[in-house]
Amino acid sequence: MSEAREEAAWLVAAQDGDGRAAAALVDRLGPKLLAFALRMTGGDRPAAEDIVQEAFLRLWSRTKRWDPDGPARLSTWMGRVVANLAIDRARLAKRESGGEPELDPIDPAPSVEDRLAVGGSLEAALDALPDRQRQAVLLRLVHGYSNTEIAEMMGCGVEAVESLTARGKRRLSQLLDETEVGDV
């Protein structure tokens, strides 16, 4: 049985009240989703845990409507929910602080804040990427999703994913090069 079929079978069993199937699904998807949410929230564990919990609540509320033969894999759908929740949380925080949410600029020049935020680590450099670039880079390079799966999660085309990933990698490389130069 494929991983996607197994996840769908667990969801159907969980919908019928099988607690072990629900736990197996959480055990399978939870750690990867939490790791992704942690990166999307800049390491804010409580926020990441809240996001993953909300994603599972949304899943449980729609188990009766889930189509195991539909176009999206369960893990892909959950990844998209986590990404959207993390982006919504970041936008809300920026609005509440009086700032505007950062949109994905075409070619962002490093600001003073970006250079200071890099601080010599890959994690800080990832945090300095625009949200959608960071999301694409993390999903592709860290979590190993295909471009097609990422496109489904992000609600865009495969070409857009390829562009976001390429720009994100290029910007990440620049940020890391700047850090190396600054450390010498």
Side-chain angles (χ1 to χ4, degrees):
M1 177 182 293
S2 76
E3 192 173 301
R5 284 270 177 218
E6 187 174 41
E7 290 168 359
W10 285 341
L11 183 60
V12 169
Q15 143 188 347
D16 292 335
D18 184 343
R20 280 189 249 160
L25 199 52
V26 170
D27 288 345
R28 161 87 51 96
L29 300 177
K32 197 171 188 179
L33 293 171
L34 181 60
F36 179 50
L38 277 167
R39 292 193 190 300
M40 289 295 294
T41 61
D44 184 345
R45 189 168 190 87
E49 289 172 349
D50 286 349
I51 287 168
V52 172
Q53 182 177 9
E54 176 63 27
F56 274 106
L57 288 173
R58 289 185 183 192
L59 174 65
W60 302 138
S61 72
R62 69 178 298 140
T63 56
K64 300 256 189 243
R65 297 185 315 237
W66 184 261
D67 178 9
D69 298 318
R73 284 183 50 186
L74 186 57
S75 58
T76 303
W77 184 82
M78 288 291 287
R80 182 173 184 171
V81 170
V82 166
N84 289 342
L85 288 169
I87 290 168
D88 288 349
R89 180 178 284 259
R91 286 180 178 153
L92 179 62
K94 285 186 181 185
R95 259 187 253 123
E96 288 175 351
S97 70
E100 287 295 316
E102 181 178 318
L103 300 176
D104 187 23
I106 301 291
D107 187 18
S111 67
V112 172
E113 292 84 11
D114 286 342
R115 289 185 181 135
L116 291 174
V118 170
S121 74
L122 177 60
E123 200 68 34
L126 282 166
D127 289 345
L129 292 177
D131 289 339
R132 290 184 55 82
Q133 286 180 15
R134 181 175 61 248
Q135 183 181 359
V137 167
L138 289 171
L139 288 170
R140 182 74 182 118
L141 302 177
V142 176
H143 297 288
Y145 286 104
S146 71
N147 286 344
T148 303
E149 291 171 319
I150 297 167
E152 289 176 27
M153 286 184 211
M154 294 181 69
C156 62
V158 173
E159 297 82 12
V161 169
E162 291 168 354
S163 175
L164 285 166
T165 304
R167 288 191 333 244
K169 286 175 17 181
R170 192 169 42 251
R171 180 74 177 121
L172 192 59
S173 178
Q174 289 171 345
L175 289 167
L176 292 172
D177 286 347
E178 288 172 8
T179 301
E180 287 177 14
V181 169
D183 290 343
V184 174

